[in-house]
Amino acid sequence: MKGAERRGRILEIIKNSDGPVTGGSLAKETDVSRQVIVQDISRLKAEGHDIIATSRGYIINRPAKAERVFKLVHSDDEIRDELELIVSMGGMVKNVFVWHKIYGKLTADINIATYGDIDEYIDNFRMGRSSPLKNVTSEYHYHTVTAPDSETLDRICEALDKRNFLVHNE
């Protein structure tokens, strides 16, 4: 399989996948090394394909039809509840950010769209790799959430409010 054909196949696999696709599985599917896959992904990105490398594999960034920022507050024990509520209602948590009084806006892309993503995210905290960003701002934080439509975001907003996670602007 030549380079252009292989890159086309890689793109097709990632686009048609329901979740992240690992470099190893792409290498096996196209009969090349993982390093060749990394180079092919770089080339596809340079050609304008919006491929995102996550800790679980490669995904295509599909523009959502609606996006909203929610200001939230809750304990560490409620992180899973918050994320599961958003994902179960059809949302994807694009990032988490805080406004630090000294450093300004601190943002981390998290791209949480599935329960597996939530498990991995929570496991990273549980294993002591780091602590949630919200902990530097007394648990106040923001999430950019994407969804298929604004009605879905409205329902997510209502559910977050019902759980007392949502912070209303004073």
Side-chain angles (χ1 to χ4, degrees), residues 46-147:
E47 291 171 0
H49 298 283
D50 199 0
I51 299 172
I52 299 171
T54 72
S55 59
R56 296 178 56 126
Y58 297 105
I59 60 172
I60 292 284
N61 186 22
R62 292 181 176 95
K65 295 182 175 144
E67 182 175 283
R68 190 173 302 165
V69 173
F70 296 104
K71 183 177 183 182
L72 305 156
V73 63
H74 55 74
S75 70
D76 285 357
D77 292 337
E78 295 172 306
I79 292 173
R80 178 179 296 280
D81 295 338
E82 172 207 47
L83 297 173
E84 285 182 352
L85 183 151
I86 294 168
V87 167
S88 71
M89 298 184 80
M92 193 272 285
V93 184
K94 187 175 175 179
N95 62 29
V96 59
F97 65 94
V98 297
W99 287 101
H100 192 276
K101 291 183 181 187
I102 296 172
Y103 302 116
K105 184 179 180 183
L106 303 173
T107 304
D109 292 333
I110 56 176
N111 297 309
I112 294 179
T114 67
Y115 290 106
D117 294 342
I118 295 169
D119 289 342
E120 184 175 342
Y121 185 72
I122 300 295
D123 286 348
N124 283 329
F125 295 131
R126 191 174 298 128
M127 293 168 61
R129 291 191 177 127
S130 192
S131 61
L133 191 55
K134 69 179 190 56
N135 290 353
V136 301
T137 55
S138 303
E139 300 187 340
Y140 287 91
H141 62 290
Y142 299 81
H143 284 306
T144 305
V145 176
T146 61

